[in-house]
Amino acid sequence: MTDSHQQQHQNFETLAIHAGQAADAQTGAVVTPIYQVSTYKQDGVGGLRGGYEYSRSANPTRTALEENLAALEGGRRGLAFASGLAAEDCLLRTVLVPGDHVVIPNDAYGGTFRLFAKVAERWGVQWSVADTSDPTAVREQIRPNTKVIWVETPSNPLLGITDIAVIADIARHAGAKLVVDNTFASPYLQQPLALGADVVVHSTTKYMGGHSDVVGGALIAADAGLGEELAFHQNAMGAVAGPFDAWLVMRGIKTLAVRMDRHSENATKVAEMLRSHPKVAQVLYPGLPEHAGYDIAVKQMKAFGGMVSFRIQGGEEAAVEVCNRAKLFTLGESLGGVESLIEHPGRMTHASAAGSALEVPSDLVRLSVGIESADDLLADLRQALGA
Ligand SMILES: *Cc1c(COP(=O)(O)O)cnc(C)c1O
């Protein structure tokens, strides 16, 4: 707490490496150790040495990550979970009760949609869908019992951009909380709490971890009171990040700023090449001036990130063929790692949205542009597209 307070004036790159990461008090180890432990010796009943009693409630490695997350998003409390969806589940069961209503984006992450449509709904939570890039569409979905507006920007897989400050205003007037899934941007490129959001959600599996070697999630609350309620539910529900997973995410975060700069540079080059390619019908990248959300992206993001989607001439079969022909771009789900990935959302990540309001175009290809040589990435895409 005092650590992050003293560090408030420091810049992002410094906080990423130092916030919550003081050298180990006992050994001087520069890197936070992996406290692979479940319980802690007490000096007499109730005499806790470092405030730790059981690792579901708190673990020193996880604490280091949680303090770091709070500092990077500019929140009062950070919490680390076993996965992004575990974080979302904890959030929705903390802020919603049966009968409450949530507005979710019409191109939400498929797993987020499934959590509301197939799980939360069974427990009496109502939801409706809006194109959150259109403030009027969001306002139209507000009901007297709306408690949460959920926003993902840039969105997955269509890379839509939502004006966080505008939706924060709508949420405030409706007496609802604004939740922003900041997975695609990361706190280096975008800081939703500063724009008025109440809670930030992360799949730390993606850019925060950054190396495709860990599954994790996070919640960061702007308000200390809500942070405390979330921490209560984190412990009560139990889907915490284990110490090794927390350590891997922390290790990833130290290079987040340099990775995001390179992801953004490479993605811009890829988007520009695709835009001029005869077999490509449309490129979806918020860094292109013709993108509908470009002006808002310029206003609220530092750069435009590593995700690029495009629609191809020739429909679904052509899209699937490009995915199959790519060599350097690995065919696979997930995103945000140093290596480039390619996928067909309609048949892969977003297959569960088929037939719903969140169904994605069948000619869509999604790229997670990595930090390899841009020239090599462009060459691979050209050959996959067939010259
Ligand atoms: C991956 C992802 C999630 C879910 O996170 P998991 O770590 O897979 O549980 C949520 N939101 C977005 C935008 C994602 O990309």
Side-chain angles (χ1 to χ4, degrees), residues 83-85 88 109 112 152 156 181 183-184 203 205-206 215-216 335:
S83 71
L85 284 175
E88 293 184 18
Y109 173 71
T112 300
E152 219 183 288
N156 179 19
D181 184 333
T183 298
F184 270 34
S203 169
T205 311
K206 316 294 170 51
V215 170
L335 59 110

Side-chain angles (χ1 to χ4, degrees), residues 161-229:
I161 298 291
T162 292
D163 191 323
I164 297 172
V166 166
I167 305 297
D169 211 48
I170 293 174
R172 209 167 22 251
H173 281 97
K177 290 188 165 58
L178 175 62
V179 172
V180 176
D181 184 333
N182 204 24
T183 298
F184 270 34
S186 90
Y188 176 63
L189 299 183
Q190 173 174 281
Q191 308 214 303
L193 301 184
L195 298 167
D198 297 288
V199 182
V200 164
V201 173
H202 276 287
S203 169
T204 54
T205 311
K206 316 294 170 51
Y207 288 104
M208 303 288 260
H211 296 74
S212 307
D213 54 10
V214 63
V215 170
L219 297 175
I220 300 96
D223 173 75
L226 177 57
E228 202 48 49
E229 283 176 50

Side-chain angles (χ1 to χ4, degrees), residues 186-359:
S186 90
Y188 176 63
L189 299 183
Q190 173 174 281
Q191 308 214 303
L193 301 184
L195 298 167
D198 297 288
V199 182
V200 164
V201 173
H202 276 287
S203 169
T204 54
T205 311
K206 316 294 170 51
Y207 288 104
M208 303 288 260
H211 296 74
S212 307
D213 54 10
V214 63
V215 170
L219 297 175
I220 300 96
D223 173 75
L226 177 57
E228 202 48 49
E229 283 176 50
L230 290 167
F232 171 84
H233 282 81
Q234 181 196 40
N235 179 48
M237 292 165 62
V240 296
F244 183 49
D245 287 354
W247 185 90
L248 282 169
V249 173
M250 261 189 304
R251 178 187 165 105
I253 286 173
K254 289 173 192 188
T255 56
L256 180 67
V258 290
R259 283 188 288 108
M260 291 316 291
D261 280 339
R262 182 60 70 87
H263 281 296
S264 302
E265 267 174 43
N266 281 0
T268 300
K269 289 178 187 164
V270 164
E272 281 169 357
M273 183 280 277
L274 291 173
R275 177 164 61 165
S276 61
H277 197 284
K279 295 208 173 142
V280 174
Q282 189 190 7
V283 182
L284 303 169
Y285 185 63
L288 295 178
E290 66 265 29
H291 187 284
Y294 176 75
D295 291 338
I296 298 162
V298 167
K299 188 179 70 172
Q300 70 187 18
M301 300 179 77
K302 186 182 165 85
F304 306 102
M307 299 302 295
V308 179
S309 292
F310 63 97
R311 301 182 69 171
I312 191 162
Q313 317 269 11
E316 177 162 2
E317 286 316 312
V320 168
E321 262 173 49
V322 172
C323 293
N324 287 338
R325 273 200 301 259
K327 294 193 179 92
L328 182 53
F329 277 81
T330 302
L331 179 60
E333 302 199 354
S334 198
L335 59 110
V338 292
E339 68 290 305
S340 294
L341 299 175
I342 189 167
E343 68 120 359
H344 184 262
R347 288 197 195 168
M348 295 169 65
T349 50
H350 290 67
S352 66
S356 78
L358 282 83
E359 184 168 320

